Amino acid sequence: MGNTKPITAAPVLSDRVRVNGVETPVTFTAEEGILRWRENCLSIEKEVLGITVEGSKIKIRAIKENDGGGIICCGGNTGGTVRRRSYNLEMLSEDSLRIWSQKLHEFIDSLGRPKRLFVFVNPYGGKRSASKIFIDSVKPLLDDANIDYTVQETKYQLHAKEVAKSLDILRYDGVVCVSGDGILVEVVNGLLEREDWDSAIKMPLGVVPAGTGNGMAKSLLDAVGLPCTASNATLAIIRGHKQSLDVATITQGQNRFFSVLMLAWGLIADIDIESEKYRWMGSARIDYYAIQRIIRLRRYNGCIKFVAAPGYETFGEPADPEGETISEVKSSFAQHKGYCGPALQMKDFNRKIEGPFVSVWLHNVPWGGEDTLAAPDAKFSDGYLDLVVIKDCPKLTLLSLMTELSKGGHVKSPHVLYFKVKALVLEPGTQLDDGSKEGIIDVDGEVLARGKGTYKSNYKTLMTYGKLHIKVDQGLATVFSPSTIS
């Protein structure tokens, strides 16, 4: 009881107002940020979106638990749990109007909410519904919150990256991606390739789920028990809570790519990328192609070397230190003006797992998509990546494991190695049963490298199918989140 606040905390303001023609007392308690009149009680931080003055009235736009009244919030995209509401408090004097509007605005300003946002909308991703989601679910809430925003529809792949590289970051309090995960990844890469990357990457990034893969939005919202909806994600952005996010740097020679979600090689990458040929089937294409790939299971030669996180040093086998140093890789970036990634020393890579492999899956956040809990123990800013490795597994067991992905049960299987690493070297090889064919490396839902004989192997990729160095930089980026998450 020692920490309980007294119920009779002194209000900062107390006055009489007119609501619907009826005069009634109203109080605003500063310590809790609570506004009360008659049967109404509003939390400024959690429920009030914005306040404007219209004549002698203070108009309060808010969200409330669904009580059967008000405007349905965002076409029902919140799962029917909250509604947009509007309240008009008519002040009885000009002094009251001035004092109340000033105090309420000061309190909202003290919450650190964004006032100006740059919004990317990807009209081509997923079910091509991002534009409608923005109009129906995002725009009304931003308008209610008095947020100024600039909207940029992406017109082609890497458009968002180009814009992020030249964006005047001083004009905005955050960048919002109304899309799947792809636009977020482009923005991170664009910000980190700037000369002023160290200040640019501090720009808070918001993610509104509107694509095929919504792993980041799902991870952020699920961490606090919220459904993965466009309105819940938008409310998190409006409230302005921020969360640090680890960023992985993948390097190969002079090429680099910054990842915030995952890297896959083997079964998961093959299913994700090769199932695109069945895109006409919708989301069912993943399950359909997964069965095909398991029936005709591929295993890949190769090796992974890693720096284990504390507590995971017994995974794998001892690895002999190599003469190679990543300082060579780092120095090759001298011509680049952006972020080069953390320094690496090959002597630190003292553990290894040799193939053949069925699947290697590296994750930065728990959810790979809205229905794939790939790495249940992953944290947003712990400075480690979660590694999920399958070396061998009976086909029927593997089919069963795939059904466990939606709740993370796959990591409990004796056929699955699941542990945390600080850094990783991936040395991908050929298919065990056909040495003339190689594999696909999938990073954040896009192909990073295609080997010989793979799906669309003639397409150009950023990196070649060869050795990759991966290291994570703790808390490098910042995302808007429902609350601070570990």
Side-chain angles (χ1 to χ4, degrees), residues 267 293-300 356-359 389-404 410-417 432:
L267 178 64
R293 276 276 52 82
I294 291 172
I295 292 173
R296 298 193 298 276
L297 190 63
R298 301 168 183 161
R299 296 175 71 200
Y300 291 90
F357 298 96
V358 169
S359 178
V389 177
I390 302 177
K391 286 199 63 180
D392 199 6
C393 186
K395 292 180 181 179
L396 285 177
T397 304
L398 199 52
L399 278 170
S400 177
L401 284 183
M402 298 300 284
T403 66
E404 292 285 322
H410 60 291
V411 301
K412 299 176 182 177
S413 168
H415 299 284
V416 176
L417 293 174
L432 183 64

Side-chain angles (χ1 to χ4, degrees), residues 224 241-244 481-486:
V224 293
H241 295 297
K242 300 175 186 69
Q243 166 69 47
S244 296
S481 69
S483 62
T484 301
I485 309 160
S486 62

